[in-house]
Amino acid sequence: MTDRKRVFFNEYNVMMDNTTYLPLVSGLLQSFAETSPVVRDHFEFMPYLFHLDRPAAILDAYDRPAIAAFSLVSWNEQLNLFVAAEVKRRYPDCLIVFGGPQVPHHPEPYFRRHPFIDAAVRGEGEEPFLELLERVAGGRDPDGIPGVSWRTAAGEFRENPGERPFVRDMDAHPSPYLKGHYDDLMTTHPHLTFQAIIETNRGCPFHCTFCFWGRGGLSRKYRYRPLDQVEAEIKWMAEHHIRYVYNADSNFGMHRRDMDIAHMLVETKRRYGFPEKFRTCYGKNTDEAIFEIGRLFHQNQIEKGITISYQSCDPVVQKNIKRDNIKIAVAADLHQRFNESDVPVYTEMILGLPGETTKSWVAGIESILSSGLRNHLFMYVCNVFPNIELAEPAYRQQFGIITRTIEMAEVHGAIRPADWLTEYEEIIIGTDSMPTPDWRRMMVFSWFVGMLHSLKLANFLLIYLVGRFGVRYTDLPLHLADGGFDRRFDLWHFERNDCHAKLDALLAGGPRGCTADRWGAIYWEQEELGFLRLGDRRDEAFDQLEALTRDYLTGRGFAVDEAELHEAVTYQRLRVSTVSAPPGGTIEHAFTTNMPEFFDRYHRADRVGLERRPQGLVVTPKDFGGDPERYARESILWGRRSGLTLAPCSWKDLA
């Protein structure tokens, strides 16, 4: 048919320099809709509008639209609203359809605020979108389609109740990758590098109050994609040289078939060289399966670090967020087992959850670091999203939740040009158990933990302090965060003051992401920017840190062996990667103690103590060619989860 109605998909993904994701949602909707002969006969699907851009550039792509479908997530809601309103103004007969996690499940107030919206889909979108298109083709309204809210011709709001029957297998859902829906897109955008999302199942049995998966997604039971389809998608990604694949499963490793999928990924990489990296959210309680998968991925260098998430270590908080059925002991055991196998592990905590206190937050971080976390600890602010329990008025009132709406600057995303629309996010800045001043103090403390431990600016020094003096891992970061040190240590005072300046801006509605021209046109976390600045003046920063640490210890009555402390700081200084490699490509240093062995074995069963036994260290830092942007991207953006801010080394005893 030559007069088919035009359908436009709007799925604006984040830009990371010249890299973005293929539009999975758009592809899924089109692939399923095309299973209907009615849809195939009556509609034409236009090229996807798939990344953030200037509104004018997006609107230039529109020509005689009949349907405009918008997928709303936190980083594109305002852009979607602006474009949808303008499409409606230019093309009044175009049906505007909204879906995605930012759209309220009961959207009557949302419809009142945005009179250009004609229909909204709750939860999974394939079936209702197909039925909506069939109704349009037949000149009928959406009355009776489960999960669809809509506006009548008279402007009245209608909401269709009810849910669809549960179907365990997703055999009826074609793959947009295998249908070829991205082939033209990739050909016509050769200047872009594409990443891909793979979804092997849907659902999450957990009820975490801060998360969209278990409740907001309306799919508590698991649904599975056919394994042969999953395998074919992995092959497609490899053949199209997709370097980075993100897995949209909620609990990878929880299902028996996940091991089969892990082997598919590894075998595909061995054959094609792609995908280079695979990132996923691992299951919460299945330690043996996760261990085997994590070890397999690490052996084949396909993982971006193994995730073991706590969110909070406090039992009161765990109960408040309905996460108390997830066993923290499982995570601690996995940490130890991965350490013994030299598999990098990172974990996550969320600051601001109901019931958390300054005491429990510090204790939780201490517990994680003491359990042997050698790699990375991510500490996030707590976001509040639509359709989750945390967003409900009664829940907020119960725990005294205080929030602030701030500008969005997607960390590690490209800096938004001035003519792009500003997006917003809602974050928790205080609760009954952690008032805003306490939250502020814990934010600064967390940033210092991020700099010192997670980014490895002083992780060995922290080990030395714990092993030699019995202090806590968190003591020095708290000392720095609280400003309990001499003003002559100006580099460290600057970082503390900058943390507070960032919080002032944040509480005034400014963004989380930080910028610095020297490190490239992307947004950085506060602790990342601090790491980069201190690393830029590495010798001065470590000289100050050594003297600061000595003052800290003596002020608490410890007898300090200054030569030994100097060797600990020297080891730390040598291991932190730098923008420029040394002449000859290696650094050799002789220690009067067994400091290299002490640090190498500290988190292993064969740990050794410090003693006067000379050892030599050979460090082989990566050569970044003196390019600060390359250094920042490769060591932090691409390597933060894998500990690549540290330079590789070897050691030996000296005669």
Side-chain angles (χ1 to χ4, degrees):
M1 297 177 64
T2 58
D3 59 345
R4 290 185 299 171
K5 299 177 184 295
R6 293 183 172 185
V7 180
F8 286 79
F9 288 111
N10 300 262
E11 182 183 351
Y12 312 132
N13 289 314
V14 174
M15 290 293 294
M16 297 158 282
D17 289 337
N18 68 332
T19 300
T20 192
Y21 280 100
L22 292 169
L24 178 63
V25 172
S26 302
L28 291 172
L29 291 174
Q30 178 181 349
S31 298
F32 191 78
E34 288 178 335
T35 63
S36 164
V38 173
V39 171
R40 293 197 303 270
D41 288 344
H42 288 82
F43 295 95
E44 177 185 7
F45 294 94
M46 306 306 293
Y48 301 136
L49 302 168
F50 63 93
H51 65 77
L52 297 174
D53 205 340
R54 295 177 297 106
I58 295 171
L59 289 162
D60 283 347
Y62 271 88
D63 181 25
R64 294 175 289 129
I67 310 283
F70 295 84
S71 178
L72 277 70
V73 286
S74 58
W75 58 79
N76 65 25
E77 181 179 15
Q78 300 306 313
L79 179 58
N80 276 302
L81 290 168
F82 184 93
V83 172
E86 185 61 18
V87 168
K88 194 68 169 180
R89 187 187 70 80
R90 297 182 185 184
Y91 308 98
D93 294 331
C94 178
L95 186 75
I96 304 296
V97 183
F98 272 28
Q102 287 297 113
V103 181
H105 285 172
H106 302 287
E108 185 172 6
Y110 204 73
F111 272 57
R112 287 199 300 268
R113 291 197 302 272
H114 309 298
F116 48 85
I117 301 174
D118 296 306
V121 176
R122 182 176 76 251
E124 295 184 25
E126 290 97 334
E127 286 87 353
F129 186 69
L130 181 154
E131 293 180 22
L132 190 61
L133 293 182
E134 290 181 333
R135 297 288 184 92
V136 171
R140 295 173 293 145
D141 63 39
D143 188 32
I145 301 177
V148 172
S149 301
W150 53 291
R151 194 188 306 273
T152 68
E156 298 176 344
F157 176 80
R158 296 285 187 271
E159 184 173 338
N160 297 328
E163 305 297 337
R164 295 179 179 275
F166 176 76
V167 179
R168 184 176 184 273
D169 296 317
M170 301 179 69
D171 302 63
H173 289 247
S175 164
Y177 299 106
L178 307 182
K179 295 283 288 185
H181 290 324
Y182 303 129
D183 293 352
D184 287 345
L185 183 152
M186 298 179 75
T187 300
T188 55
H189 295 81
H191 59 291
L192 293 180
T193 298
F194 288 99
Q195 300 177 162
I197 301 171
I198 192 167
E199 179 190 51
T200 79
N201 64 60
R202 288 183 187 173
C204 182
F206 301 107
H207 309 164
C208 307
T209 63
F210 57 86
C211 181
F212 180 80
W213 250 323
R215 177 174 178 176
L218 296 179
S219 51
R220 296 261 301 280
K221 297 179 181 179
Y222 279 107
R223 305 173 67 200
Y224 299 92
R225 292 194 175 276
L227 271 178
D228 58 347
Q229 184 186 96
V230 173
E231 185 172 22
E233 286 189 342
I234 293 170
K235 181 181 177 183
W236 183 96
M237 292 171 189
E239 291 175 337
H240 287 76
H241 293 185
I242 301 296
R243 297 176 59 186
Y244 181 82
V245 173
Y246 180 82
N247 181 26
D249 299 357
S250 61
N251 292 280
F252 192 70
M254 180 175 285
H255 314 282
R256 292 181 180 179
R257 63 186 230 148
D258 290 344
M259 180 60 76
D260 296 329
I261 295 170
H263 281 288
M264 291 175 190
L265 286 158
V266 168
E267 291 303 318
T268 304
K269 181 180 180 181
R270 287 174 180 169
R271 180 178 178 184
Y272 296 95
F274 296 93
E276 294 179 1
K277 296 295 180 183
F278 174 79
R279 184 183 172 193
T280 188
C281 296
Y282 287 93
K284 279 67 173 179
N285 288 330
T286 50
D287 54 339
E288 188 60 38
I290 292 173
F291 178 71
E292 293 301 328
I293 291 173
R295 190 166 59 174
L296 175 69
F297 282 166
H298 180 67
Q299 289 169 348
N300 291 275
Q301 299 182 325
I302 197 172
E303 95 287 344
K304 286 282 289 183
I306 307 302
T307 316
I308 300 177
S309 297
Y310 291 86
Q311 316 310 355
S312 174
C313 294
D314 186 76
V316 173
V317 180
Q318 292 275 329
K319 183 176 181 180
N320 290 342
I321 61 176
K322 297 184 178 177
R323 199 178 169 86
D324 50 335
N325 58 336
I326 297 173
K327 302 170 185 174
I328 293 180
V330 170
D333 179 66
L334 277 173
H335 272 168
Q336 186 60 40
R337 297 180 68 186
F338 279 129
N339 283 343
E340 294 294 332
S341 298
D342 290 323
V343 177
V345 174
Y346 69 93
T347 192
E348 299 165 328
M349 296 272 281
I350 300 175
L351 180 61
L353 293 172
E356 199 80 74
T357 66
T358 57
K359 183 178 179 180
S360 68
W361 181 251
V362 174
I365 292 175
E366 181 68 30
S367 174
I368 291 172
L369 300 188
S370 299
S371 72
L373 181 68
R374 293 190 297 179
N375 207 38
H376 205 96
L377 171 60
F378 286 90
M379 289 158 287
Y380 301 109
V381 296
C382 187
N383 284 86
V384 180
F385 301 106
N387 307 313
I388 63 174
E389 189 170 356
L390 195 64
E392 294 179 355
Y395 190 91
R396 295 183 189 228
Q397 184 176 7
Q398 179 183 357
F399 296 105
I401 293 174
I402 305 169
T403 68
R404 183 78 77 243
T405 298
I406 64 173
E407 294 181 18
M408 179 172 287
E410 302 89 350
V411 171
H412 299 163
I415 295 175
R416 289 173 172 261
D419 56 352
W420 284 20
L421 287 176
T422 301
E423 300 289 345
Y424 300 93
E425 57 183 325
E426 185 180 9
I427 64 170
I428 291 179
I429 62 167
T431 63
D432 280 346
S433 58
M434 186 182 287
T436 300
D438 289 350
W439 173 87
R440 181 181 182 122
R441 179 178 176 235
M442 290 298 96
M443 281 291 297
V444 179
F445 162 67
S446 299
W447 283 333
F448 271 103
V449 171
M451 275 190 282
L452 300 185
H453 173 271
S454 297
L455 290 166
K456 309 308 178 194
L457 190 65
N459 66 307
F460 296 113
L461 178 59
L462 296 180
I463 289 172
Y464 171 74
L465 295 178
V466 172
R468 200 52 152 171
F469 299 97
V471 301
R472 300 180 301 171
Y473 284 97
T474 51
D475 284 348
L476 185 61
L478 270 174
H479 181 66
L480 292 168
D482 289 341
F485 53 97
D486 196 293
R487 292 287 171 179
R488 71 182 185 276
F489 305 126
D490 60 302
L491 295 184
W492 294 91
H493 269 292
F494 176 86
E495 294 305 329
R496 179 179 181 273
N497 292 339
D498 194 62
C499 287
H500 281 283
K502 184 65 180 179
L503 286 169
D504 288 339
L506 199 68
L507 292 172
R512 290 192 302 116
C514 306
T515 61
D517 291 341
R518 174 169 168 76
W519 309 107
I522 67 173
Y523 295 108
W524 299 102
E525 294 279 14
Q526 177 71 23
E527 72 267 22
E528 293 171 341
L529 190 58
F531 170 87
L532 291 167
R533 283 191 297 238
L534 290 167
D536 235 12
R537 301 173 67 177
R538 186 173 71 152
D539 289 341
E540 188 178 357
F542 278 110
D543 286 344
Q544 289 189 14
L545 183 60
E546 181 178 336
L548 189 157
T549 304
R550 183 178 59 246
D551 287 359
Y552 167 76
L553 291 170
T554 56
R556 280 152 182 77
F558 292 107
V560 178
D561 183 330
E562 295 196 16
E564 186 180 88
L565 173 62
H566 178 70
E567 288 207 335
V569 175
T570 298
Y571 182 91
Q572 180 72 66
R573 185 191 319 226
L574 293 173
R575 290 297 310 279
V576 175
S577 63
T578 58
V579 174
S580 299
T586 62
I587 304 171
E588 297 186 19
H589 186 84
F591 290 85
T592 64
T593 65
N594 66 330
M595 199 71 70
E597 182 184 24
F598 172 76
F599 289 129
D600 183 42
R601 296 186 176 180
Y602 191 80
H603 290 301
R604 291 165 43 179
D606 58 349
R607 179 189 299 186
V608 298
L610 271 175
E611 56 186 87
R612 293 290 175 182
R613 180 156 48 88
Q615 288 183 340
L617 182 73
V618 178
V619 183
T620 54
K622 183 175 182 177
D623 185 3
F624 297 99
D627 183 343
E629 290 190 28
R630 179 186 168 196
Y631 167 73
R633 278 164 173 73
E634 293 185 19
S635 63
I636 295 180
L637 181 61
W638 302 341
R640 176 173 176 169
R641 286 178 171 82
S642 304
L644 297 186
T645 54
L646 288 177
C649 71
S650 60
W651 59 268
K652 63 180 180 180
D653 289 318
L654 298 178

